[in-house]
Structures are given as structure tokens and as C-alpha cells.
Amino acid sequence: MQIKESAEDYLEKILILSNKNSLVRSIDIVNYMKLSKPSVSVAMKKLRENGYILMDNDGYITLTKEGKKIAEKIYERHMFITKWLQDLGVPEEIASSDACKIEHVLSVETFDAIKEKYKNGKCKNCNGCK
């Protein structure tokens, strides 16, 4: 199932926050993503309706199995692409920002090919991509 980039971003941020603190609420997402409360509220409702998150009576958010699967995929892409760009000489802040854009548009095949080619921080077919 294809989901929107914004939904992927929310799921990724919920994963990151839940790794830092076991309990995540909408206000934590508001503060982390620097978004308005109403925007986050609408997004959480959609994620809940689509089965990507659960929200208990106290407002604590947890990822469902499907939500966690998507979040982990996006987070892996983000971390890998950020490191890859930094290794190419891109400053960290720019690399992270660009990775956030790139992570959503790469096909599974393209991302897997890049990962395979660039194992252990070196291009598989050369000596460090000099």
C-alpha cells in the first residue's frame, strides 16, 4: 500500500520519539516537528483510521505492526542516505535535509542497489570512490 510522504514522516518521527521516550503524545510530535497542534491532531486521526497507530485513553501513541514497518523503512533510508551524502562531502545539516526528501521517492529496487553498491562505506566495485 502506498502512503503519502507526510504520513511516512509522522510515522518516522513517532518511531524516533518512542526510541527516546517509551511514551509519545501528540504534543511531543508538535514540539519535535515544529507543527501546529491542529495539524498534528488531524494527521494522528488519519494514521489511526488507517491502522498505522493506536492511541490510548491518555493520548499515548504507539505504532501498529504495519506503522512500525513503514517507520523503520523510512528511518533506515534516512540514516543511510544521510551518511552516504556526508561521505560525499555534504555538510551534515544539508545531508539530513536532502535525505528527508530523497527517502520518499526512491524505489525499493534503487535503494537496495545503492545499499548493495555502497556496503561498509565503500563502493563495492572500487577503492573508496576516489
Side-chain angles (χ1 to χ4, degrees):
M1 173 189 231
Q2 189 78 358
I3 70 167
K4 292 185 177 183
E5 181 178 324
S6 61
E8 290 177 338
D9 280 338
Y10 278 109
L11 294 172
E12 180 186 20
K13 300 317 184 257
I14 293 168
L15 176 68
I16 291 167
L17 288 167
S18 67
N19 286 338
K20 290 181 181 181
N21 309 311
S22 58
L23 302 174
V24 177
R25 296 172 300 150
S26 290
I27 193 66
D28 301 320
I29 298 164
V30 166
N31 294 332
Y32 188 75
M33 295 179 76
K34 297 180 180 26
L35 298 171
S36 72
K37 289 179 186 180
S39 295
V40 172
S41 180
V42 168
M44 293 306 105
K45 180 180 180 194
K46 288 180 183 175
L47 291 174
R48 194 173 56 248
E49 289 172 350
N50 288 308
Y52 298 122
I53 65 167
L54 300 172
M55 190 177 291
D56 70 14
N57 292 335
D58 295 322
Y60 292 107
I61 299 165
T62 54
L63 295 167
T64 63
K65 185 177 179 179
E66 183 63 22
K68 188 171 185 175
K69 180 179 165 186
I70 293 166
E72 287 174 340
K73 176 190 89 166
I74 294 300
Y75 185 67
E76 176 197 14
R77 285 174 172 228
H78 184 91
M79 298 307 293
F80 181 88
I81 294 167
T82 298
K83 182 180 179 336
W84 181 49
L85 292 172
Q86 285 180 284
D87 287 350
L88 294 173
V90 178
E92 181 179 359
E93 189 173 314
I94 295 170
S96 181
S97 176
D98 286 350
C100 197
K101 298 167 194 159
I102 295 167
E103 67 197 22
H104 302 285
V105 296
L106 287 178
S107 67
V108 171
E109 294 80 9
T110 299
F111 182 68
D112 288 347
I114 292 169
K115 270 188 3 183
E116 180 61 29
K117 184 91 169 170
Y118 194 76
K119 280 192 173 175
N120 302 319
K122 288 188 178 179
C123 180
K124 188 176 174 183
N125 296 330
C126 65
N127 293 319
C129 294
K130 294 179 183 176

